Amino acid sequence: DTAVSQTPKYLVTQMGNDKSIKCEQNLGHDTMYWYKQDSKKFLKIMFSYNNKELIINETVPNRFSPKSPDKAHLNLHINSLELGDSAVYFCASSRVQTRNTGELFFGEGSRLTVL
Amino acid sequence: QKEVEQDPGPLSVPEGAIVSLNCTYSNSAFQYFMWYRQYSRKGPELLMYTYSSGNKEDGRFTAQVDKSSKYISLFIRDSQPSDSATYLCAMYQAGTALIFGKGTTLSVSS
């Protein structure tokens, strides 16, 4: 059973389109995250939700809108895609908000390519 | 200056070598330090975790934290081809998100 699953794994789209990435975790964790990893492997926090409540919202363009329908799901919707949005987007979850071991469980990533 | 600096490599070593991976950081409030390993086309996974200064050993892996120098290291002994991956240091203070280094890509040849 996959602990943190993301769909789709690959996404190729044109500039200006709107797209969504879905994430689900079956670990019973109460905190979920979206990270962006650029072509140089730099992994940067975008958002964090705890029990469906937004707790971290880094400096991210408002074209990016996360939604958490319940604590097992965290989706990411991106409007008006730009070339610079091309990256791998990772969903992650943890038991509490980066306390204790700071162990995040990551999905396999969703590779977005904007043409 | 970025909060966490890590040499991206790549680093190539023969099987059996001792590998040293390092990160420096600027925020003295960081309390928790960890190393994640990321295989190609996969998500990162936690490898080692340490709290405050000191050493921690787990099999062939040793993590070191020197808070006075704001420097952390990961040593891999008897490196194996299966250790070929990108290693990301990460750290945080209570109540904040994990901050990652850029990752060092390691290749171990047999």
Side-chain angles (χ1 to χ4, degrees), chain B residues 4-26:
Chain B
V4 180
E5 300 274 6
Q6 184 176 8
D7 185 344
L11 186 59
S12 294
V13 300
E15 185 175 354
I18 297 174
V19 175
S20 172
L21 304 167
N22 311 294
C23 286
T24 58
Y25 61 95
S26 57

Side-chain angles (χ1 to χ4, degrees), chain B residues 7-58:
Chain B
D7 185 344
L11 186 59
S12 294
V13 300
E15 185 175 354
I18 297 174
V19 175
S20 172
L21 304 167
N22 311 294
C23 286
T24 58
Y25 61 95
S26 57
N27 187 349
S28 57
F30 286 140
Q31 301 165 284
Y32 304 89
F33 304 90
M34 49 226 67
W35 288 91
Y36 277 77
R37 179 174 60 194
Q38 184 177 18
Y39 289 114
S40 181
R41 304 276 173 168
K42 298 289 185 184
E45 56 182 352
L46 182 66
L47 186 62
M48 296 281 287
Y49 149 76
T50 52
Y51 171 70
S52 197
S53 284
N55 290 3
K56 185 173 184 178
E57 194 171 316
D58 184 1

Side-chain angles (χ1 to χ4, degrees), chain B residues 46-106:
Chain B
L46 182 66
L47 186 62
M48 296 281 287
Y49 149 76
T50 52
Y51 171 70
S52 197
S53 284
N55 290 3
K56 185 173 184 178
E57 194 171 316
D58 184 1
R60 296 183 295 110
F61 298 89
T62 300
Q64 276 187 358
V65 174
D66 181 348
K67 288 194 77 178
S68 62
S69 303
K70 299 194 186 71
Y71 189 86
I72 71 170
S73 301
L74 177 71
F75 297 96
I76 308 174
R77 289 183 299 281
D78 187 25
S79 55
Q80 303 294 310
S82 59
D83 295 329
S84 298
T86 297
Y87 291 80
L88 302 112
C89 63
M91 51 199 77
Y92 70 101
Q93 59 187 105
T96 66
L98 218 51
I99 305 294
F100 284 87
K102 284 194 173 185
T104 300
T105 299
L106 172 67

Side-chain angles (χ1 to χ4, degrees), chain A residues 64-89:
Chain A
F64 290 78
S65 50
K67 278 190 174 54
S68 182
D70 56 61
K71 73 175 193 176
H73 294 85
L74 180 61
N75 304 324
L76 183 66
H77 187 76
I78 315 170
N79 288 327
S80 304
L81 279 155
E82 299 177 357
L83 293 176
D85 297 333
S86 296
V88 182
Y89 292 85

Side-chain angles (χ1 to χ4, degrees), chain A residues 12 21 53 59 63 69 77 111 115:
Chain A
V12 180
I21 307 171
E53 184 184 341
T59 308
R63 299 182 294 102
H77 187 76
R111 186 175 297 270
L115 303 174

Side-chain angles (χ1 to χ4, degrees), chain A residues 28-42:
Chain A
H29 291 164
D30 48 18
T31 306
M32 296 184 72
Y33 311 79
W34 278 111
Y35 277 83
K36 178 181 179 182
Q37 188 171 46
D38 62 24
S39 58
K40 295 181 179 173
K41 298 279 193 179
F42 186 46

Side-chain angles (χ1 to χ4, degrees), chain A residues 16-57:
Chain A
N17 284 352
D18 303 339
K19 290 294 177 188
S20 291
I21 307 171
K22 295 186 176 183
C23 179
E24 175 182 3
Q25 55 95 2
N26 61 6
L27 297 167
H29 291 164
D30 48 18
T31 306
M32 296 184 72
Y33 311 79
W34 278 111
Y35 277 83
K36 178 181 179 182
Q37 188 171 46
D38 62 24
S39 58
K40 295 181 179 173
K41 298 279 193 179
F42 186 46
L43 198 61
K44 190 170 180 186
I45 181 74
M46 299 174 70
F47 303 103
S48 173
Y49 271 75
N50 187 44
N51 278 325
K52 302 193 296 176
E53 184 184 341
L54 181 65
I55 50 174
I56 292 174
N57 183 353

